[in-house]
Amino acid sequence: AQDVGNEGVARLLRDAGAVQARNEKTLDLAKMQKEKGTAEYQKLSYATAAEAYSKAIRLTEMLKPPLPEEQHAATRALTLQCLTNLANVRSKLEDHAGVVQACDDALSLDPDNEEALFRRAMSRTELGDWSSATADLER
């Protein structure tokens, strides 16, 4: 192992601080996109809302690890909210395959999320996948 010295340690700390600042800015942008999605949903602009929720999800995926525990929890909660909201919007657009995908993604974060299980079951019913819909409702 090579000794990085004081200058090297200072550079590493600056770099870590820059990553943290970028992550905070990215998380703020994701929150803004979620808020935009909610506003568009309230205006019944479902396609625009879906786009905003999708952007928020992509932004959360851009965060660079390691995240402090508080930021990790906030990111997970925001992503889960955006995924369940996206499923709702896709349901309004009658994009049932899209609902199932958004719910699958939400359930990968929270396997017991009742909202995602219910929405996925309803969309699976619309797609004619009765056995999977029943399994979701029985969980």
Side-chain angles (χ1 to χ4, degrees), residues 43-101:
K43 293 190 292 188
L44 309 180
S45 299
Y46 300 130
T48 307
E51 186 178 308
Y53 290 133
S54 294
K55 283 181 184 177
I57 294 163
R58 284 193 305 274
L59 284 163
T60 64
E61 292 168 348
M62 292 171 56
L63 296 173
K64 304 287 186 215
L67 300 177
E69 183 55 39
E70 182 179 304
Q71 195 175 54
H72 176 74
T75 300
R76 186 179 177 280
L78 177 65
T79 303
L80 187 58
Q81 289 173 339
C82 288
L83 286 165
T84 55
N85 290 354
L86 180 60
N88 183 31
V89 168
R90 287 181 173 167
S91 177
K92 298 284 188 189
L93 294 168
E94 297 184 17
D95 173 12
H96 298 293
V99 173
V100 171
Q101 181 60 58

Side-chain angles (χ1 to χ4, degrees), residues 6-19:
N6 289 340
E7 190 175 308
V9 170
R11 185 174 49 250
L12 289 173
L13 290 174
R14 267 194 318 274
D15 291 349
V19 168

Side-chain angles (χ1 to χ4, degrees), residues 31-47:
K31 289 176 185 176
M32 289 171 51
Q33 284 298 315
K34 180 197 171 272
E35 291 168 10
K36 178 181 178 184
T38 301
E40 293 298 327
Y41 178 84
Q42 291 170 346
K43 293 190 292 188
L44 309 180
S45 299
Y46 300 130

Side-chain angles (χ1 to χ4, degrees), residues 122-138:
M122 295 301 98
S123 283
R124 284 177 164 174
T125 298
E126 290 293 328
L127 294 168
D129 187 356
W130 304 103
S131 61
S132 295
T134 301
D136 281 345
L137 292 173
E138 289 175 346

